[in-house]
Amino acid sequence: KYFQKIRHLEVQILGDGKGDAIALGERDCSVQRRHQKVVEVAPAPNISPTIRDQICDAAIAIGRTANYENAGTVEFLVDADADRFYFIEVNPRIQVEHTVTEAITGLDLVALQLQISAGKTLDDLGLCEPPATNGYAIQCRINMETPGKKGMFKPTGGTINIFEPPSGPGIRVDTFGYAGYKTSTRYDSL
């Protein structure tokens, strides 16, 4: 099916493996390069409350039906013109973009995963209802690319000469980069 205007939204879920699951809100991962997410925003801006409720309800239903245990991500495509959504996949693991969900919910998803793995239920963790969200969070990733022929950019490696991470209130930097770090082209360009 062809979509004129498409958005890639994903819902963070937690399941306790005992039939209960909750949605911790959605993220907009529509800004991508070479099928890699570059910008993630939570909660997703400019979506209708109806779509927000429907994708969260669908994610919860998938988690409960699968008797899902731990953190996972249920991904959807949203047809922005028709206000309809389509299921893509479930990633049965925590993803790098989980940090924007942590920022708006105040939850530590890694710690919650460990507690669920140790046998705690969502009820034990006080997560009978989805937590309220506060504000917005944005995660950005940097691509290392070199301009090629005809304006095309291709992944490249190199050495980071200067590294000055952002700082200030509400800023979180998750990186292994530093001045002098050598990057590789063996993976993607992020």
Side-chain angles (χ1 to χ4, degrees):
K1 184 168 185 156
Y2 175 77
F3 299 100
Q4 190 71 27
K5 292 181 188 171
I6 198 76
R7 294 185 60 190
H8 182 151
L9 302 184
E10 57 188 32
V11 177
Q12 181 73 61
I13 63 168
L14 276 177
D16 60 16
K18 295 170 178 55
D20 202 6
I22 62 168
L24 302 177
E26 81 291 337
R27 302 183 287 253
D28 189 324
C29 301
S30 299
V31 178
Q32 299 187 18
R33 185 153 174 87
R34 292 188 176 88
H35 310 292
Q36 295 291 321
K37 297 168 189 170
V38 178
V39 177
E40 293 92 15
V41 181
N46 303 318
I47 65 167
S48 72
T50 301
I51 287 292
R52 177 175 280 122
D53 290 346
Q54 288 177 346
I55 65 171
C56 286
D57 289 347
I60 292 167
I62 288 168
R64 288 180 177 160
T65 300
N67 205 27
Y68 191 80
E69 184 175 4
N70 259 311
T73 306
V74 184
E75 300 194 21
F76 302 94
L77 290 178
V78 176
D79 179 348
D81 289 329
D83 230 12
R84 295 181 63 191
F85 68 95
Y86 302 86
F87 171 76
I88 303 174
E89 66 181 352
V90 175
N91 284 298
R93 59 181 160 71
I94 202 155
Q95 291 183 280
V96 69
E97 55 269 21
H98 78 278
T99 58
V100 293
T101 298
E102 289 182 334
I104 64 166
T105 62
L107 297 174
D108 182 335
L109 296 178
V110 174
L112 289 170
Q113 277 196 139
L114 294 172
Q115 291 173 316
I116 290 169
S117 292
K120 300 253 182 191
T121 65
L122 293 177
D123 191 40
D124 295 336
L125 298 170
L127 292 172
C128 298
E129 297 291 325
T133 59
N134 184 22
Y136 280 86
I138 300 171
Q139 180 182 79
C140 302
R141 299 186 207 157
I142 298 170
N143 277 9
M144 294 191 63
E145 298 177 329
T146 299
K149 295 178 184 174
K150 299 181 183 176
M152 298 297 291
F153 287 76
K154 61 182 185 176
T156 189
T159 301
I160 297 173
N161 294 318
I162 298 171
F163 182 71
E164 296 178 9
S167 62
I171 301 291
R172 174 179 171 162
V173 178
D174 293 326
T175 184
F176 57 86
Y178 51 86
Y181 180 80
K182 293 186 185 312
T183 65
S184 169
T185 57
R186 283 187 264 176
Y187 305 103
D188 58 51
S189 62
L190 292 177

